Amino acid sequence: MSELQIRDIRPSDAGEVLTLQRAAFVSEAIIYGSVEMPPFTQTLEEVEHELAENLGCVALLGPRMVGAARARLDGSLLLIGRISIAPDVQGEGVGSRLLEALEERGRGAGATEAELFTGSLSEANLRLYERAGYRETQRVPGDGSEQVFLRKPLA
């Protein structure tokens, strides 16, 4: 995917980001047997608000948005959230490129560590994060699965 371009995420991207996240999270809804999760219940207005002050980025193939990821700084901790990859390019390195870009942005903003989470049944996500150097720090019980929190030093 050498033609993949990464740029800052913008509030004006909200509609496309929301559409992308809903498509991207269908596989997660199947794994967990529910669409009652934030990627599906979040409103356009909530996404617009979330993108107003964000260190996130989007991945573009030509004019098409194929990935989006959000991040914000909490002291020296970069909180990474809602990584969404278009279903037809999942597994082709878009998520890895977005993670690298987020980490670089975090370092530039003064973050010394990054944190993200996923569900315990999301095996592909867990493999991606572990390959990228993230290590599990906590599991929080949920409805039949757990939220798995992972961290990585950015120094």
Side-chain angles (χ1 to χ4, degrees):
M1 289 234 158
S2 59
E3 65 275 9
L4 190 72
Q5 300 295 314
I6 306 287
R7 70 156 170 81
D8 291 348
I9 202 166
R10 308 174 189 140
S12 61
D13 292 324
E16 197 168 2
V17 167
L18 184 59
T19 301
L20 176 64
Q21 94 182 14
R22 288 180 176 166
F25 277 83
V26 167
S27 58
E28 295 291 297
I30 292 169
I31 291 170
Y32 292 95
S34 175
V35 294
E36 292 302 315
M37 53 178 67
F40 296 108
T41 60
Q42 190 173 36
T43 67
L44 178 61
E45 293 76 23
E46 289 169 337
V47 174
E48 288 170 340
H49 177 74
E50 200 172 277
L51 299 186
E53 293 184 22
N54 205 282
L55 293 174
C57 48
V58 297
L60 304 168
L61 275 176
R64 179 180 172 223
M65 185 183 295
V66 295
R70 299 170 188 128
R72 64 181 177 83
L73 204 55
D74 183 9
S76 63
L77 182 63
L78 179 68
L79 298 171
I80 298 174
R82 202 76 39 87
I83 299 173
S84 304
I85 310 300
D88 63 315
V89 297
Q90 289 177 2
E92 295 186 27
V94 176
S96 296
R97 292 272 306 274
L98 284 171
L99 265 179
E100 290 169 9
L102 290 173
E103 292 166 4
E104 186 60 35
R105 291 161 192 264
R107 280 185 205 94
T112 58
E113 193 171 29
E115 180 179 73
L116 46 74
F117 71 91
T118 191
S120 60
L121 303 180
S122 302
E123 295 174 5
N125 294 349
L126 289 167
R127 283 192 304 273
L128 166 66
Y129 301 146
E130 289 171 1
R131 273 194 320 269
Y134 287 80
R135 298 294 171 247
E136 184 177 326
T137 58
Q138 180 181 13
R139 284 188 179 236
V140 178
D143 297 332
S145 67
E146 301 167 307
Q147 285 185 327
V148 181
F149 288 81
L150 302 103
R151 285 191 177 206
K152 176 181 178 177
L154 296 180

